[in-house]
Short mmCIF file of all heavy atoms in Angstrom, two decimals:
data_model
loop_
_atom_site.label_atom_id
_atom_site.label_comp_id
_atom_site.label_asym_id
_atom_site.label_seq_id
_atom_site.Cartn_x
_atom_site.Cartn_y
_atom_site.Cartn_z
N ILE A 1 3.00 18.76 -8.33
CA ILE A 1 4.02 17.88 -8.87
C ILE A 1 4.64 18.58 -10.07
O ILE A 1 3.97 18.83 -11.07
CB ILE A 1 3.45 16.52 -9.29
CG1 ILE A 1 2.73 15.86 -8.11
CG2 ILE A 1 4.56 15.60 -9.81
CD1 ILE A 1 2.01 14.57 -8.48
N LYS A 2 5.90 18.94 -9.97
CA LYS A 2 6.55 19.76 -10.98
C LYS A 2 7.68 18.98 -11.64
O LYS A 2 8.20 18.00 -11.10
CB LYS A 2 7.09 21.04 -10.34
CG LYS A 2 6.02 21.81 -9.55
CD LYS A 2 6.57 23.06 -8.93
CE LYS A 2 5.54 23.74 -8.03
NZ LYS A 2 4.32 24.10 -8.76
N VAL A 3 8.06 19.42 -12.82
CA VAL A 3 9.16 18.82 -13.57
C VAL A 3 10.16 19.90 -13.93
O VAL A 3 9.78 21.00 -14.37
CB VAL A 3 8.65 18.13 -14.86
CG1 VAL A 3 9.82 17.69 -15.74
CG2 VAL A 3 7.76 16.94 -14.52
N VAL A 4 11.43 19.61 -13.73
CA VAL A 4 12.49 20.51 -14.14
C VAL A 4 13.54 19.70 -14.89
O VAL A 4 13.84 18.56 -14.51
CB VAL A 4 13.13 21.24 -12.93
CG1 VAL A 4 13.78 20.26 -11.96
CG2 VAL A 4 14.14 22.28 -13.38
N VAL A 5 14.04 20.23 -15.99
CA VAL A 5 15.04 19.54 -16.79
C VAL A 5 16.42 19.79 -16.20
O VAL A 5 16.81 20.94 -15.97
CB VAL A 5 14.99 19.99 -18.26
CG1 VAL A 5 16.12 19.34 -19.07
CG2 VAL A 5 13.64 19.64 -18.87
N HIS A 6 17.13 18.70 -15.96
CA HIS A 6 18.47 18.76 -15.35
C HIS A 6 19.37 17.80 -16.13
O HIS A 6 19.41 16.60 -15.85
CB HIS A 6 18.36 18.36 -13.87
CG HIS A 6 19.67 18.11 -13.19
ND1 HIS A 6 20.70 19.02 -13.22
CD2 HIS A 6 20.11 17.04 -12.47
CE1 HIS A 6 21.72 18.53 -12.53
NE2 HIS A 6 21.39 17.33 -12.08
N PRO A 7 20.07 18.29 -17.15
CA PRO A 7 20.77 17.41 -18.09
C PRO A 7 21.85 16.52 -17.46
O PRO A 7 22.13 15.44 -17.98
CB PRO A 7 21.39 18.39 -19.09
CG PRO A 7 20.58 19.63 -18.98
CD PRO A 7 20.16 19.71 -17.54
N GLN A 8 22.45 16.95 -16.36
CA GLN A 8 23.56 16.18 -15.80
C GLN A 8 23.11 14.91 -15.06
O GLN A 8 23.92 14.03 -14.78
CB GLN A 8 24.37 17.05 -14.83
CG GLN A 8 25.13 18.19 -15.51
CD GLN A 8 24.25 19.40 -15.78
OE1 GLN A 8 23.12 19.49 -15.32
NE2 GLN A 8 24.78 20.34 -16.55
N SER A 9 21.83 14.81 -14.71
CA SER A 9 21.29 13.64 -14.01
C SER A 9 22.06 13.33 -12.72
O SER A 9 22.28 12.17 -12.37
CB SER A 9 21.30 12.40 -14.93
OG SER A 9 20.46 12.59 -16.04
N ILE A 10 22.42 14.36 -12.01
CA ILE A 10 23.09 14.20 -10.71
C ILE A 10 22.10 14.39 -9.57
O ILE A 10 22.08 13.64 -8.60
CB ILE A 10 24.26 15.20 -10.57
CG1 ILE A 10 25.34 14.86 -11.61
CG2 ILE A 10 24.84 15.17 -9.15
CD1 ILE A 10 25.99 13.51 -11.45
N VAL A 11 21.25 15.44 -9.69
CA VAL A 11 20.14 15.63 -8.74
C VAL A 11 18.97 14.82 -9.29
O VAL A 11 18.44 15.11 -10.36
CB VAL A 11 19.75 17.11 -8.62
CG1 VAL A 11 18.54 17.28 -7.71
CG2 VAL A 11 20.93 17.93 -8.11
N HIS A 12 18.56 13.80 -8.55
CA HIS A 12 17.58 12.86 -9.10
C HIS A 12 16.14 13.29 -8.85
O HIS A 12 15.26 12.87 -9.59
CB HIS A 12 17.85 11.46 -8.57
CG HIS A 12 19.19 10.95 -9.00
ND1 HIS A 12 19.50 10.75 -10.33
CD2 HIS A 12 20.31 10.66 -8.31
CE1 HIS A 12 20.76 10.33 -10.43
NE2 HIS A 12 21.27 10.28 -9.22
N SER A 13 15.89 14.06 -7.83
CA SER A 13 14.61 14.73 -7.60
C SER A 13 14.71 15.50 -6.29
O SER A 13 15.67 15.34 -5.52
CB SER A 13 13.43 13.76 -7.57
OG SER A 13 12.99 13.48 -8.89
N MET A 14 13.69 16.34 -6.03
CA MET A 14 13.72 17.22 -4.87
C MET A 14 12.34 17.31 -4.24
O MET A 14 11.32 17.12 -4.93
CB MET A 14 14.19 18.63 -5.27
CG MET A 14 15.61 18.68 -5.79
SD MET A 14 16.04 20.26 -6.58
CE MET A 14 15.41 19.99 -8.25
N VAL A 15 12.32 17.62 -2.96
CA VAL A 15 11.07 17.88 -2.24
C VAL A 15 11.16 19.27 -1.64
O VAL A 15 12.10 19.57 -0.90
CB VAL A 15 10.82 16.83 -1.13
CG1 VAL A 15 9.56 17.20 -0.33
CG2 VAL A 15 10.68 15.44 -1.73
N ALA A 16 10.21 20.13 -1.99
CA ALA A 16 10.16 21.48 -1.46
C ALA A 16 9.21 21.52 -0.27
O ALA A 16 8.12 20.94 -0.31
CB ALA A 16 9.69 22.46 -2.53
N TYR A 17 9.62 22.22 0.79
CA TYR A 17 8.84 22.31 2.02
C TYR A 17 8.32 23.73 2.23
O TYR A 17 8.86 24.69 1.67
CB TYR A 17 9.68 21.86 3.22
CG TYR A 17 9.90 20.35 3.25
CD1 TYR A 17 10.92 19.77 2.53
CD2 TYR A 17 9.06 19.52 3.98
CE1 TYR A 17 11.12 18.39 2.53
CE2 TYR A 17 9.24 18.15 4.01
CZ TYR A 17 10.26 17.59 3.28
OH TYR A 17 10.44 16.23 3.30
N SER A 18 7.30 23.84 3.05
CA SER A 18 6.63 25.13 3.24
C SER A 18 7.49 26.16 3.93
O SER A 18 7.19 27.36 3.88
CB SER A 18 5.33 24.93 4.03
OG SER A 18 5.59 24.27 5.25
N ASP A 19 8.57 25.74 4.60
CA ASP A 19 9.46 26.71 5.25
C ASP A 19 10.52 27.26 4.31
O ASP A 19 11.38 28.04 4.72
CB ASP A 19 10.12 26.08 6.48
CG ASP A 19 11.01 24.88 6.15
OD1 ASP A 19 11.14 24.56 4.94
OD2 ASP A 19 11.56 24.26 7.08
N GLY A 20 10.46 26.87 3.04
CA GLY A 20 11.43 27.34 2.06
C GLY A 20 12.57 26.38 1.81
O GLY A 20 13.38 26.59 0.89
N SER A 21 12.66 25.30 2.59
CA SER A 21 13.71 24.31 2.38
C SER A 21 13.41 23.46 1.15
O SER A 21 12.25 23.18 0.83
CB SER A 21 13.81 23.38 3.60
OG SER A 21 14.12 24.10 4.77
N VAL A 22 14.46 23.04 0.48
CA VAL A 22 14.35 22.08 -0.62
C VAL A 22 15.38 20.99 -0.36
O VAL A 22 16.58 21.26 -0.30
CB VAL A 22 14.62 22.73 -1.99
CG1 VAL A 22 14.57 21.67 -3.10
CG2 VAL A 22 13.61 23.83 -2.27
N LEU A 23 14.90 19.77 -0.20
CA LEU A 23 15.80 18.63 0.00
C LEU A 23 15.97 17.90 -1.32
O LEU A 23 14.99 17.61 -2.01
CB LEU A 23 15.24 17.68 1.05
CG LEU A 23 15.00 18.24 2.46
CD1 LEU A 23 14.61 17.13 3.43
CD2 LEU A 23 16.24 18.97 2.98
N ALA A 24 17.22 17.60 -1.66
CA ALA A 24 17.53 16.93 -2.92
C ALA A 24 18.35 15.68 -2.65
O ALA A 24 19.13 15.62 -1.70
CB ALA A 24 18.31 17.87 -3.84
N GLN A 25 18.17 14.68 -3.49
CA GLN A 25 19.00 13.48 -3.43
C GLN A 25 19.92 13.50 -4.64
O GLN A 25 19.47 13.61 -5.78
CB GLN A 25 18.13 12.22 -3.43
CG GLN A 25 18.89 10.92 -3.15
CD GLN A 25 19.35 10.21 -4.42
OE1 GLN A 25 18.75 10.36 -5.48
NE2 GLN A 25 20.42 9.45 -4.33
#
């Protein structure tokens, strides 16, 4: 479970997958 600072608050969180994909909302 990781935290990244994103000041614009447009990407609300992400899920990283083992195939290298990252899905973001």
Side-chain angles (χ1 to χ4, degrees):
I1 304 174
K2 307 180 186 301
V3 171
V4 62
V5 176
H6 168 52
Q8 292 82 10
S9 297
I10 295 297
V11 176
H12 297 297
S13 277
M14 296 168 275
V15 176
Y17 287 85
S18 55
D19 62 2
S21 300
V22 177
L23 300 187
Q25 189 267 333

